[in-house]
């Protein structure tokens, strides 16, 4: 599983211009069954995503296609997590 951090970067002011494309990219992540959660980093620092079911290389390719990444609105960092123990509700992450 992965945590993706999307921290605001130099072109942050361009975010409104690319918001619809970014939202479509997020929708695709959920539609593909890869995204588990998307939320905001506080205070107003960008966003974070929990993802699974995809290789790191495939996730990097997908993240690099986000219009916010392409336009330099955010810098993306992908953290890979190997779950060792989970709540029963998250057992699917152990597969």
């Amino acid at each position: 599983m992965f945590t993706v951090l999307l921290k605001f970067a130099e072109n942050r002011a361009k975010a409104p211009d690319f918001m619809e494309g970014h939202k479509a990219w997020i929708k695709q992540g959920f539609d593909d069954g890869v995204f588990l959660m998307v939320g905001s980093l506080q205070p107003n620092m960008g966003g974070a995503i929990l993802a699974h079911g995809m290789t790191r290389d495939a996730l990097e390719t997908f993240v690099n296609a986000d219009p916010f990444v392409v336009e330099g609105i955010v810098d993306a960092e992908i953290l890979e997590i190997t779950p060792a123990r989970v709540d029963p509700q998250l057992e699917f992450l152990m597969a």
Side-chain angles (χ1 to χ4, degrees), residues 19-46:
M19 185 59 74
E20 289 307 311
H22 178 66
K23 286 180 179 180
W25 175 82
I26 290 170
K27 181 182 181 313
Q28 187 65 55
F30 279 109
D31 289 349
D32 290 348
V34 174
F35 290 174
L36 299 172
M37 185 279 308
V38 172
S40 297
L41 293 174
Q42 299 301 323
N44 201 22
M45 294 174 47

Side-chain angles (χ1 to χ4, degrees), residues 33-69:
V34 174
F35 290 174
L36 299 172
M37 185 279 308
V38 172
S40 297
L41 293 174
Q42 299 301 323
N44 201 22
M45 294 174 47
I49 300 165
L50 293 180
H52 80 115
M54 181 179 271
T55 66
R56 184 183 183 96
D57 286 344
L59 182 60
E60 286 176 2
T61 298
F62 188 70
V63 168
N64 287 333
D66 175 4
F68 273 20
V69 174

